[in-house]
Amino acid sequence: MPAEPVAPPAVTPDDAGGRTARRVVTVLALAAMLPALYLPGFVHDYFDLKIYMRAMDWWAAGHPLYDYVQPDRVQGALYFTYPPFAALLLRPFALLPLGVTIAAFTVLTVAGVVVTTRWLVTPVLRRHGLPRVFGLTVAVLLVLAVESTRETITFGQINMLLVVLILADLLFAVPQGRRWAGVGVGLAAALKLFPGIFVLYLLAARRWRAAAVAAATATAATLLAAAVAPNDSWRFWTHELWATDRVGRTDYTGNQSLFGLLSRITAPEEPSRLPWLVLALLVAGYGLWRAARAARAGDALAGLTLTGLVGGLISPITWTHHLYWFIPAVVVLVDAALDADRSTAAGTRRRRGLLALAVGTGVVIVYGVVTFQDWGAGPARTDDPVDFVTRNAYVLLSLLLLAVLPVRRRTATVVERTDLANGGVRR
């Protein structure tokens, strides 16, 4: 006779209480870690946000927007470098007291972290039967601990607004074939040039309608800004966009792009443009090819993550606060590790390798490359292998993830499609 199935052991109140206590301790330990990570960044004193507000005051006084400049110890001179549409968005904040503006940006960034982390993590917790409230709380605390988030908050950057627009588009609107698919990417590209890489991703993934909507949205927003500020718009698109001396020193360690890596090799001279262009084209071609394969396989998260990594690598300037894309990469790695077949030796090795890469990535992006090091105010060439790895940690990690980030074929179930329609959480 077949053996009777063995019932799982009952969970006693003592077991449940001990598990709850361990979860509370974990959450408190992670929360207690945040002040130590944020303390070095508070010296930024919302530096970028203050530049935005001063530039808006300068503009409101009748001066040309892109004439605004202020000295800086590291970069030499800093200008307002965003497109005119971003200036339209920022200008109302200049009417508020600076403290209110800082508080608003901080609250909005934290809210963006919570919302986007919920979108990324909840499907993973659901599929693998993990505790949702505890898992989401831990994930939010870990995202707040990452250097890119810390730099976004302490500099007063707008990056989380862009991330919200991009993820809402590429995780929900595009996979569901919504009529407004592409609007989020288009608005993000009009606010800052970096998100334009996601329009190329839509084209590579053969999402023709979404790509057209994104391009049309970016164009409409740009034309709106041109109607409000024609002279500043003409100057930006015909001159300032191409003036590389306005964006800061390319060799500074905070620039974690391929061009930054090359600049640190040749400092104080700038590297030749030809090797960089060849390298950037190769990386863009390979990365977008992998991203398009992920999109066609139904793995939207891997596709947009690979695209974000490509954008960070090929942009001439990629500051550390731009590199949000390591966060969804960790989610992809953990999800793939949990999916690995543990009944075979190969599956067990794969699971361990993916978890090791996820943990290693997490350690690197939490410690960061600029938070705890003073790289000095002048150009400094990378002279030894340790220095090369340390100063280019995000570049090298991006290249590694571009090559090994797993892509899985996904077919959404009825329940999963319903959950997506409800914002990623089962009602």
Side-chain angles (χ1 to χ4, degrees), residues 68 99 147-148 160 224 303 369:
Y68 179 79
E147 184 179 63
S148 63
M160 281 311 301
L224 172 64
V369 295

Side-chain angles (χ1 to χ4, degrees), residues 122-179:
T122 300
V124 178
L125 298 175
R126 182 186 63 246
R127 280 199 302 274
H128 300 288
L130 300 173
R132 298 192 190 179
V133 174
F134 172 68
L136 180 58
T137 303
V138 168
V140 167
L141 290 173
L142 288 174
V143 173
L144 287 171
V146 170
E147 184 179 63
S148 63
T149 308
R150 303 196 309 262
E151 296 275 289
T152 294
I153 290 174
T154 56
F155 271 113
Q157 274 285 342
I158 66 170
N159 299 310
M160 281 311 301
L161 169 61
L162 307 180
V163 169
V164 169
L165 291 170
I166 293 167
L167 292 191
D169 219 352
L170 299 182
L171 287 181
F172 302 111
V174 172
Q176 294 173 13
R178 297 295 179 90
R179 295 185 60 172

Side-chain angles (χ1 to χ4, degrees), residues 162-374:
L162 307 180
V163 169
V164 169
L165 291 170
I166 293 167
L167 292 191
D169 219 352
L170 299 182
L171 287 181
F172 302 111
V174 172
Q176 294 173 13
R178 297 295 179 90
R179 295 185 60 172
W180 54 272
V183 170
V185 167
L187 287 174
L191 289 167
K192 211 168 182 177
L193 299 177
F194 183 100
I197 189 69
F198 292 98
V199 180
L200 297 181
Y201 163 63
L202 291 172
L203 290 172
R206 300 174 187 173
R207 302 282 191 168
W208 310 118
R209 188 179 189 282
V213 170
T217 302
T219 301
T222 300
L223 291 176
L224 172 64
V228 175
N231 293 334
D232 292 304
S233 293
W234 176 261
R235 177 172 169 180
F236 177 82
W237 294 107
T238 61
H239 183 266
E240 308 305 343
L241 174 63
W242 316 103
T244 57
D245 58 325
R246 294 176 61 91
V247 295
R249 268 181 40 219
T250 59
D251 67 283
Y252 178 59
T253 304
N255 178 21
Q256 289 292 304
S257 67
L258 288 170
F259 195 73
L261 180 149
L262 296 174
S263 297
R264 287 184 282 276
I265 294 175
T266 63
E269 292 80 23
E270 279 203 358
S272 170
R273 290 295 197 275
L274 182 59
W276 168 66
L277 284 172
V278 171
L279 190 58
L281 287 173
L282 289 173
V283 167
Y286 174 71
L288 289 175
W289 171 72
R290 288 208 71 212
R293 288 187 63 196
R296 289 195 291 271
D299 196 344
L301 182 55
L304 70 88
T305 301
L306 289 164
T307 305
L309 294 172
V310 167
L313 287 167
I314 68 173
S315 174
I317 295 283
T318 301
W319 302 126
T320 51
H321 52 77
H322 295 161
L323 288 169
Y324 167 85
W325 310 104
F326 291 126
I327 293 167
V330 171
V331 175
V332 171
L333 290 169
V334 171
D335 192 20
L338 294 174
D339 277 338
D341 184 3
R342 284 173 283 179
S343 64
T344 65
T348 300
R349 286 194 300 271
R350 174 177 169 79
R351 176 186 175 89
R352 290 174 179 172
L354 291 169
L355 286 176
L357 183 55
V359 171
T361 299
V363 170
V364 171
I365 63 178
V366 168
Y367 184 78
V369 295
V370 296
T371 299
F372 300 103
Q373 297 87 12
D374 182 0

Side-chain angles (χ1 to χ4, degrees), residues 100-120:
V100 174
T101 299
I102 289 173
F105 268 63
T106 303
V107 169
L108 289 172
T109 296
V110 173
V113 166
V114 174
V115 169
T116 54
T117 304
R118 176 171 170 257
W119 290 346
L120 295 178

